[in-house]
Amino acid sequence: MENTYAIQMKHVTKRFGKVVANDDVSLDIKRGEILSLLGENGSGKTTLMNMLAGIYFPDEVEILVNGTPVTIASPKDAFACGIGMIHQHFKLVDIFTAAENIVLGLHEEGKLDLKAVSARITDICQRYGFVIDPNKKVYNMSVSEKQTVEIVKVLYRGADILILDEPTAVLTPQETDRLFDVMRNMKADGKAMVIITHKLNEVMEVSDRVAVLRKGRYIGDVATADTNPQKLTDMMVGHAVTLNIDRPLVEKRHLRLEVRDLTVRTGEGVKALDGVSFQAFGGEILGIAGISGSGQKELLESIAGLRAAEPGSHVIYHPPAPDEPIAGQHVPVDRAGEELLGKTPRQIHSIGVSMAFVPEDRLGMGLVGTMGMTDNMMLKTYRSGAGPLLDRKSPRELAQRVKDELDVLTPSLNTPVRRLSGGNVQKVLVGREIAQEPSVLMTAYAVRGLDINTSYTIYNLLTAEKCKGVAVIYVGEDLDVLLELCDRILVLCGGQVSGVVDARTTTKEEVGLLMTKFRKEASQA
Amino acid sequence: MTQATQHKEPLLRIVKRDGIARPKAYAIRLIAVLLSLVVCGIFIYAITKLNPVQVYEAIFDGAFGTNRRSWVTIRDAMMLLCIGVGLAPAFKMKFWNIGAEGQILIGGVVTAGIMKAYGSALPTPALLVVMALASILCGCLWGVIPAVFKSVWNTNETLFTLMMNYVAIQITSYCVALWENPVGSNSVGIINQMTAYGHFPKLFGQTYGLNVLLVLLLTVGMYIYLKYSKQGYEIAVVGDSENTARYAGINVKKVTIRTMAISGAICGIAGFIEVAGVSHTISTNTAGGRGFTAIIVAWLAQFNTFVMILISFLLVFLQQGAIQIATQFNLNDYASEIITGIILFFILSSEFFINYRVILRNRKGADGK
């Protein structure tokens, strides 16, 4: 196969305010090759590719497509160059069919002939091994199907340089394998592909070459065959790191939280959780796995008192014994177990059930973006102290302590937290929750968007909490981490518990199958 | 594959600033005001062939030319400030209270009613307290009704508060007809003109001394409330994200209703001050659109009540000056409104240059204005 350069980017620089997102990056993409663009969050991978796709305009650049210099000022220019990008967040019209979405925005001569379009789509699918029904509406599709539509959309427009931004983040292991097969087919067809990811095992599996970015700088590229995950991590981080999570087994585990037949409906009346039952123990990290949107959010919210549950649901809290180190100064509760449902978030928090919930937009719940660290520290405790005025002294001390202990990078304690990077925001949130000395600590996507070092800091913090006797509930998306960090893993599928497995003995495949258990049964029925 | 044609870099690009030093931000605002004066000058000259400098002198003369004019400027600025202070907590909570007009009017109407009915029955200080309390209650009610509907049934507060204005206007028209004096004048006239029962007494020898004192007390109080009190903190959290507020165990409904009660109460007081301390009469024009102008005051000041003092003075200064040039140069009122409009436009758009910078082609990284 001929190995010519599809794209050469030379000396790309892009700044956002004072932040240099890409600093003099030069990158080549070859035809018939899958290039992994590897780097931690915030290292500038997506920014770099967005400039190829015409979303951003670089401050300094020279781009050559097939050896000819071009300027890409809009997505239209990008398509004209044959560059197509599949974004992390799909850009599809829900009420349209696959075919309608695919031709949307194309100005083709003559009448719109959806039959011809469908034929062409089927043709593309057959060539690369996609499975897609052109007449299926998007709202009926699974995440993986939507992604397929996005890819076909790009191919339909004649792209022969494809950029995939973290395509596997939303897929199960099985779906990921299928995607990789398709990618290999496209490679065989001579297309150039860039896959943005920070999952090392995927890099090793699918790509031919790896280019590494760190803090906006181009670190270098290596052939995948000549490297291994440890070497790649060292390149990403800049120094050697150990990728092991310490997982001590806590001998004394006490029942802390008992969830029985928890059923929760969304605002539209759909069951988000359906008869969920499980137990969480102090001294244990209970992982919760599942495709995003399987009820993880609703589960945590209903335990924390933010969401009403259907009658017949129970969440029983068993407080730690008074002699346990984590007994703390929480409001005393019935030793035989106390029902949490029906209590207000404030009451639940005051008895020691803490939630560090980080939803998709990170600042939507848990932190106030426009406030600084100090003011965020007192979000749950501002009522303490007599009188109508706020006491900012102890929150300021706490903020300073969190900043020092967790190395939060912030210009000052009063800088609005929305100006901080994702990792620092996460540290502020987790730091505050741990400072409350909870006996149940719930975290959702605690490491989303964090660099490797910070992720491991968080894992270690959670493990330390577990060793203290805290019941940790960890909703995660990276199966490798779940398998390494947790003691047990509960798998949610469509709002139901599809299984609880021992994290020390289970396999990724087993968990992956559980994640789609009910969907498969439904489609067979 | 097709080959893209050569594209040029866009002529103008907009880049978000990473934060700006405070002196620079004020410099940008100052430049905006100066530029607006230049543009107004060109406009004045083009339309009227008058010397702009003379016109500006006349504006200053209109606002501060005589002792009396200065006091009118101060009086009106205090009114605008009072309403702005009332709106601040609501807008900080992202509750779009555009019902200040109605809240002022309803506060004014009860003040006028009590003044008329009990003017001779109570000594003036007691009467003032009663009127103040009544106007607070009514303003409160006018603010709480939309807040309750929003909390319980999630109605749109913008439309609701706006509609409450019309209810207040109609009530006022009814009362004006009821209290008409002299009959057939279609106005209430100065209430208790001879006896001055229920009118603000002079304070420190100044007619409007009490107005200034009351409004400044509210200004300082609101500053402390928003910045240092627990309730002010709750308002800030609810305004930033209701989800976070619920997560923190804040009762969003309670905070919404309480905040609107405060906001409405202060607007009600504004109506009380206007009627008892300024006009001593009531009409449907008592609020006079200031309930809307004050929104600009509150937002421009970013809810910092001390900055609001400056902004209300600027706006009133322009209005008073405008009236002066209208009479002095035989221009009609619209000319002055155009000038006010141009100046406001520049001030508002200066915020854009504070948050973003503009990069011209070939001037890479160079600073826009």
Side-chain angles (χ1 to χ4, degrees):
Chain A
M1 189 188 306
E2 192 190 5
N3 242 353
T4 52
Y5 289 118
I7 287 181
Q8 291 158 282
M9 297 178 91
K10 289 177 181 165
H11 312 297
V12 181
T13 299
K14 174 75 189 171
R15 297 180 205 90
F16 295 107
K18 273 186 208 138
V19 182
V20 185
N22 287 134
D23 187 5
D24 196 19
V25 174
S26 299
L27 182 73
D28 302 324
I29 303 166
K30 291 178 197 156
R31 276 194 184 286
E33 176 192 69
I34 300 178
L35 174 73
S36 278
L37 193 54
L38 186 66
E40 300 193 308
N41 280 79
S43 57
K45 307 177 298 260
T46 302
T47 310
L48 186 68
M49 289 301 115
N50 273 337
M51 284 189 274
L52 273 185
I55 311 271
Y56 293 142
F57 194 84
D59 294 319
E60 282 155 43
V61 75
E62 197 185 332
I63 299 176
L64 286 85
V65 173
N66 297 330
T68 325
V70 291
T71 307
I72 301 170
S74 73
K76 223 171 136 192
D77 295 348
F79 273 123
C81 298
I83 302 170
M85 182 157 173
I86 291 99
H87 295 272
Q88 224 171 334
H89 304 285
F90 305 138
K91 297 162 168 33
L92 297 171
V93 181
D94 268 356
I95 54 163
F96 281 10
T97 63
E100 286 167 336
N101 263 294
I102 286 165
V103 289
L104 192 68
L106 279 179
H107 298 284
E108 288 183 333
E109 294 290 311
K111 226 173 85 186
L112 178 62
D113 181 2
L114 275 178
K115 265 206 191 115
V117 171
S118 296
R120 224 177 116 193
I121 292 171
T122 316
D123 179 49
I124 291 173
C125 290
Q126 276 168 358
R127 185 140 44 117
Y128 300 114
F130 292 110
V131 185
I132 184 177
D133 173 5
N135 298 316
K136 195 171 181 179
K137 302 261 190 198
V138 170
Y139 61 80
N140 284 327
M141 291 185 180
S142 71
V143 179
S144 125
E145 283 175 293
K146 286 182 196 173
Q147 186 178 56
T148 310
V149 175
E150 286 281 8
I151 299 174
V152 173
K153 190 162 99 182
V154 166
L155 292 173
Y156 190 92
R157 284 159 165 72
D160 50 14
I161 303 158
L162 276 82
I163 305 164
L164 297 103
D165 190 358
E166 301 208 16
T168 60
V170 289
L171 302 183
T172 63
Q174 287 79 7
E175 289 168 337
T176 303
D177 286 343
R178 264 206 308 278
L179 174 70
F180 287 174
D181 285 341
V182 167
M183 285 176 69
R184 291 192 191 98
N185 290 340
M186 290 196 282
K187 176 174 93 173
D189 196 43
K191 307 237 183 247
M193 259 168 292
V194 182
I195 170 169
I196 302 179
T197 181
H198 53 225
K199 293 187 187 164
L200 293 168
N201 52 344
E202 289 173 1
V203 172
M204 298 305 296
E205 194 185 330
V206 76
S207 64
D208 302 304
R209 199 158 58 95
V210 191
V212 181
L213 290 182
R214 186 199 317 148
K215 290 181 180 149
R217 288 221 172 79
Y218 185 70
I219 299 303
D221 67 323
V222 282
T224 312
D226 302 340
T227 187
N228 61 44
Q230 183 66 51
K231 277 190 203 160
L232 287 175
T233 314
D234 296 351
M235 277 175 88
M236 270 162 77
V237 181
H239 54 85
V241 281
T242 39
L243 291 180
N244 291 317
I245 303 174
D246 192 23
R247 179 165 53 182
L249 184 66
V250 177
E251 289 299 330
K252 273 165 53 181
R253 282 170 306 209
H254 302 283
L255 179 62
R256 185 63 28 83
L257 208 58
E258 207 181 342
V259 175
R260 279 206 304 263
D261 298 324
L262 182 64
T263 300
V264 170
R265 287 181 194 276
T266 62
E268 290 84 41
V270 182
K271 275 187 187 169
L273 289 176
D274 189 0
V276 169
S277 299
F278 67 93
Q279 294 175 323
F281 295 88
E284 172 195 77
I285 299 183
L286 175 67
I288 295 186
I291 305 166
S292 63
S294 299
Q296 296 97 323
K297 184 177 165 197
E298 289 79 7
L299 178 62
L300 296 202
E301 286 188 359
S302 34
I303 296 176
L306 292 165
R307 201 176 263 275
E310 296 287 297
S313 309
H314 294 286
V315 177
I316 313 288
Y317 171 69
H318 301 275
D323 57 326
E324 275 188 67
I326 55 153
Q329 291 120 26
H330 302 293
V331 174
V333 293
D334 190 354
R335 306 245 353 118
E338 189 143 323
E339 176 70 61
L340 291 187
L341 295 179
K343 285 187 165 47
T344 65
R346 206 191 298 182
Q347 285 170 326
I348 292 174
H349 183 252
S350 69
I351 61 180
V353 178
S354 181
M355 177 170 94
F357 188 70
V358 185
E360 258 85 295
D361 57 352
R362 196 183 298 285
L363 286 170
M365 197 190 282
L367 291 173
V368 184
T370 51
M371 292 181 178
M373 270 183 81
T374 304
D375 283 11
N376 268 300
M377 285 300 144
M378 59 188 186
L379 188 65
K380 287 173 174 170
T381 53
Y382 71 95
R383 294 177 196 88
S384 62
L389 295 188
L390 292 167
D391 166 28
R392 278 201 173 83
K393 192 162 159 274
S394 38
R396 198 174 299 125
E397 285 164 7
L398 176 59
Q400 188 63 48
R401 215 171 70 219
V402 169
K403 180 175 187 269
D404 294 343
E405 280 174 14
L406 301 184
D407 291 319
V408 179
L409 284 179
T410 172
S412 92
L413 294 180
N414 294 321
T415 307
V417 291
R418 73 186 146 92
R419 290 229 205 107
L420 309 185
S421 74
N424 287 311
V425 168
Q426 208 84 307
K427 285 179 188 169
V428 172
L429 183 60
V430 174
R432 182 187 71 202
E433 292 309 312
I434 291 177
Q436 317 278 324
E437 301 189 322
S439 54
V440 176
L441 178 64
M442 299 185 279
T443 62
Y445 312 116
V447 296
R448 180 179 283 182
L450 298 200
D451 60 54
I452 292 191
N453 267 331
T454 327
S455 298
Y456 279 80
T457 311
I458 302 271
Y459 299 147
N460 290 335
L461 278 172
L462 295 179
T463 304
E465 289 296 300
K466 160 181 126 178
C467 293
K468 277 200 269 171
V470 174
V472 180
I473 297 179
Y474 176 89
V475 174
E477 44 198 348
D478 189 336
L479 284 183
D480 295 302
V481 171
L482 278 165
L483 289 177
E484 266 186 85
L485 173 73
C486 304
D487 296 288
R488 286 186 305 142
I489 299 175
L490 178 145
V491 188
L492 282 177
C493 174
Q496 288 170 281
V497 178
S498 53
V500 179
V501 292
D502 183 344
R504 287 185 173 78
T505 55
T506 188
T507 60
K508 235 169 109 173
E509 285 65 35
E510 188 187 0
V511 176
L513 285 172
L514 286 171
M515 281 163 74
T516 52
K517 188 178 170 192
F518 299 124
R519 208 164 67 187
K520 295 261 161 57
E521 283 168 8
S523 61
Q524 278 161 9
Chain B
M1 78 173 277
T2 52
Q3 191 60 64
T5 48
Q6 282 279 339
H7 297 275
K8 281 224 168 101
E9 188 186 332
L11 183 62
L12 280 176
R13 281 190 299 128
I14 294 158
V15 180
K16 191 152 174 55
R17 282 186 201 269
D18 203 36
I20 186 166
R22 208 168 263 196
K24 203 174 168 192
Y26 282 107
I28 289 176
R29 290 194 184 103
L30 190 70
I31 292 170
V33 173
L34 293 177
L35 269 180
S36 71
L37 291 179
V38 172
V39 171
C40 287
I42 294 170
F43 170 77
I44 292 167
Y45 183 74
I47 302 289
T48 65
K49 305 282 182 256
L50 291 168
N51 180 352
V53 177
Q54 269 180 355
V55 174
Y56 290 139
E57 274 174 11
I59 291 180
F60 189 81
D61 189 43
F64 294 113
T66 66
N67 198 22
R68 199 189 117 71
R69 282 179 192 165
S70 301
W71 271 106
V72 168
T73 304
I74 292 172
R75 180 195 78 192
D76 287 0
M78 286 299 131
M79 277 306 300
L80 197 57
L81 176 60
C82 183
I83 305 163
V85 166
L87 289 178
F91 278 95
K92 183 153 189 185
M93 197 177 61
K94 303 266 160 67
F95 187 101
W96 303 88
N97 177 17
I98 57 171
E101 288 280 297
Q103 291 147 18
I104 299 162
L105 266 184
I106 210 74
V109 165
V110 292
T111 304
I114 294 171
M115 195 190 280
K116 210 172 151 57
Y118 301 105
S120 51
L122 283 171
T124 292
L127 193 61
L128 285 176
V129 172
V130 172
M131 291 192 299
L133 289 178
S135 62
I136 286 176
L137 262 175
C138 290
C140 220
L141 182 72
W142 239 245
V144 163
I145 293 172
V148 168
F149 274 77
K150 161 129 182 163
S151 305
V152 181
W153 293 289
N154 200 23
T155 54
N156 180 314
E157 77 270 21
T158 317
L159 284 173
F160 209 119
T161 48
L162 185 69
M163 290 306 144
M164 291 293 284
N165 288 345
Y166 296 108
V167 178
I169 289 173
Q170 295 311 319
I171 292 177
T172 311
S173 313
Y174 174 78
C175 290
V176 169
L178 197 68
W179 301 330
E180 211 176 36
N181 178 33
V183 177
S185 69
N186 199 21
S187 78
V188 178
I190 305 287
I191 303 168
N192 301 346
Q193 190 164 18
M194 307 307 292
T195 56
Y197 289 142
H199 293 191
F200 273 20
K202 282 195 175 184
L203 192 69
F204 316 122
Q206 295 297 341
T207 320
Y208 300 119
L210 190 57
N211 304 31
V212 175
L213 183 71
L214 281 179
V215 175
L216 287 183
L217 279 178
L218 284 174
T219 306
V220 175
M222 184 54 73
Y223 183 81
I224 295 171
Y225 179 75
L226 286 180
K227 198 147 188 202
Y228 296 107
S229 81
K230 290 173 184 174
Q231 298 193 354
Y233 181 76
E234 286 174 345
I235 292 174
V237 175
V238 172
D240 190 84
S241 153
E242 280 190 25
N243 273 336
T244 304
R246 289 196 308 125
Y247 166 86
I250 293 172
N251 186 335
V252 176
K253 289 177 185 177
K254 194 177 116 191
V255 173
T256 306
I257 294 171
R258 185 182 67 205
T259 306
M260 270 313 287
I262 293 171
S263 178
I266 296 178
C267 291
I269 293 180
F272 159 69
I273 295 176
E274 174 66 27
V275 171
V278 180
S279 66
H280 310 122
T281 183
I282 183 76
S283 79
T284 48
N285 286 327
T286 294
R290 283 179 288 190
F292 299 118
T293 315
I295 297 174
I296 301 175
V297 175
W299 266 110
L300 265 184
Q302 290 291 301
F303 316 118
N304 181 331
T305 54
F306 290 121
V307 179
M308 283 185 205
I309 301 179
L310 274 178
I311 293 168
S312 348
F313 264 104
L314 177 72
L315 291 183
V316 173
F317 167 78
L318 288 171
Q319 269 165 15
Q320 296 298 324
I323 296 168
Q324 176 70 18
I325 58 168
T327 48
Q328 190 174 331
F329 300 107
N330 275 331
L331 302 173
N332 61 23
D333 274 358
Y334 300 117
S336 56
E337 275 171 26
I338 291 169
I339 293 175
T340 312
I342 291 173
I343 294 176
L344 270 184
F345 175 80
F346 272 84
I347 293 176
L348 290 173
S349 31
S350 74
E351 297 302 312
F352 172 82
F353 289 98
I354 287 166
N355 287 317
Y356 298 89
R357 59 203 183 100
V358 174
I359 298 176
L360 290 169
R361 189 194 294 162
N362 299 332
R363 281 182 59 205
K364 283 179 183 161
D367 225 303
K369 187 187 80 167

